[in-house]
Amino acid sequence: ETNEAEKVVFSVPSYACQRRISLDNHNTIFTDALSLLAEKAELSNEDGRGVAFRRAAAVLKSLPRTVTDMEQLKGLPCLGDHSQRVIKDILENGVSSEVKLTTQNERFKALKVLTGIFGVGTKTADRWFREGIRNLTQLRNSAPSLNRAQQAGLEHYDDLNQAVTKDEADAIGEIVEKAVLAVSPRSEVTLTGGFRRGKLTGHDVDFLITHPEEGKEVGLMPKVVSWLESRGYLLYQKTTRNSYLESEDGPGRPSSNMDRFERCFSIFRLEKTERLNAKKPEALAENGAQPQEDVTCSISGHMQLQDKDSQDEQPTGDKLWRAVRVDLVVSPISQFAFALLGWTGSKLFERELRRWAGHEKAMSLSSHALYDNNQNIYLRAASEEEIFAHLGLEYIHPFERNA
Ligand code: GTP
Ligand code: MN
Ligand code: MN
């Protein structure tokens, strides 16, 4: 029998950036469902609905216990009618009927596979779907014109849809560090993205590069990329110049700022060393932590069978290397704290930080700067802690930004 006094009541602040959300999620049964519905909305160009589901999931992720009764949701923020219906369905039936229908939906399944190709967004995937393309075999046979990114994405499809482990991220970190130090000895490399939030797996590896002396980071990215390329570490790379421009009174000189903040989307060729091969999946669980998200990186079984072409060079089927997506970003030291905060994520945490800044503080936050719209000044910061302080927020450790 349920005693009124035993019912756990939760209290959660309305912005995700006010909460501490570790990887210790007690409500995966609900958050997995809500995340899938967010994905479905995003694949249908219903971004507003997608964010609503992601916000609802982030509320449940922050709870210290598993939700067992709809009563416990009273007073919680960000839980709209639709999200509540999904939660109720799961509480009553063990599964959400909408999730079940979605996973069986032809369009959802096809768009998931097609957008799972690096370089393919919703728009392209949707066009292919309307042309009758449902899977990789049909895509290969219909031979639509693919850009360089998509060709690489298709070629390395299986590898890139296989979760990257922390060991692999560290191995790539060593290579990136070696490259950066070789071309600029005092430069610094920082692991960002999900791995900085303590995740044990990821869809890629993200690095932020800076130099302690302002301006010395200029021109670094092409040198790092050449170093990596000449040693055969890159299967694909695209370096893009960041078009960010600051106003006159911002940090740095506007005229020379154009080419300071560069990004490189790449695909690394990572040798499978003894160390990485020896690591069995079970070994992950021994650390006490559980791999939470993104074990779903590989979407469904059939993909394993499809990529015959890329295995031809290794008749044994035991490829001695794997492809890994890597993002490199170079930031001037004056913007480093903002870049670090902006590239650590999670995506929802970042979105909520910017919403908090705009709506609650009349400030504009980006990965470059924080602008105070009342005082009309840029607020400088040398650390993430200082940015949280400017925003009037308690400092949230990266491990607790897993909204
Ligand atoms: P996994 O890679 O799946 O483990 O998750 P992740 O959290 O690392 O995601 P991802 O690598 O996609 O992004 C890492 C962080 O970089 C997120 O906070 C993103 O918001 C941020 N980010 C990604 N792309 C951009 C971009 O083009 N500009 C800026 N400023 N930030 C970006
Ligand atoms: Mn990442
Ligand atoms: Mn990334």
Side-chain angles (χ1 to χ4, degrees), residues 192-194 203-207 263 265 325-327 343 347:
T192 62
H203 99 283
D204 70 356
V205 196
D206 308 283
F207 295 99
R263 174 174 183 178
F265 302 91
R325 271 273 299 116
V326 176
D327 281 336
W343 283 88
K347 283 194 184 79

Side-chain angles (χ1 to χ4, degrees), residues 112 120 178 208 223 235 252 255 261 263 268 278 328 335 340 345 349 353 359 370 382 388 390:
K112 248 202 98 126
V120 177
K178 209 167 148 193
L208 181 59
K223 288 184 200 160
L235 296 162
S255 55
F261 213 99
R263 174 174 183 178
F268 264 58
L328 303 176
Q335 299 173 15
L340 182 62
F349 189 88
L353 268 180
H359 291 195
L370 178 62
F388 280 92
H390 281 318

Side-chain angles (χ1 to χ4, degrees), residues 362-363 371-379:
M363 293 179 185
Y371 190 78
D372 184 323
N373 294 301
N374 287 326
Q375 301 183 73
N376 291 316
I377 52 165
Y378 281 101
L379 301 173

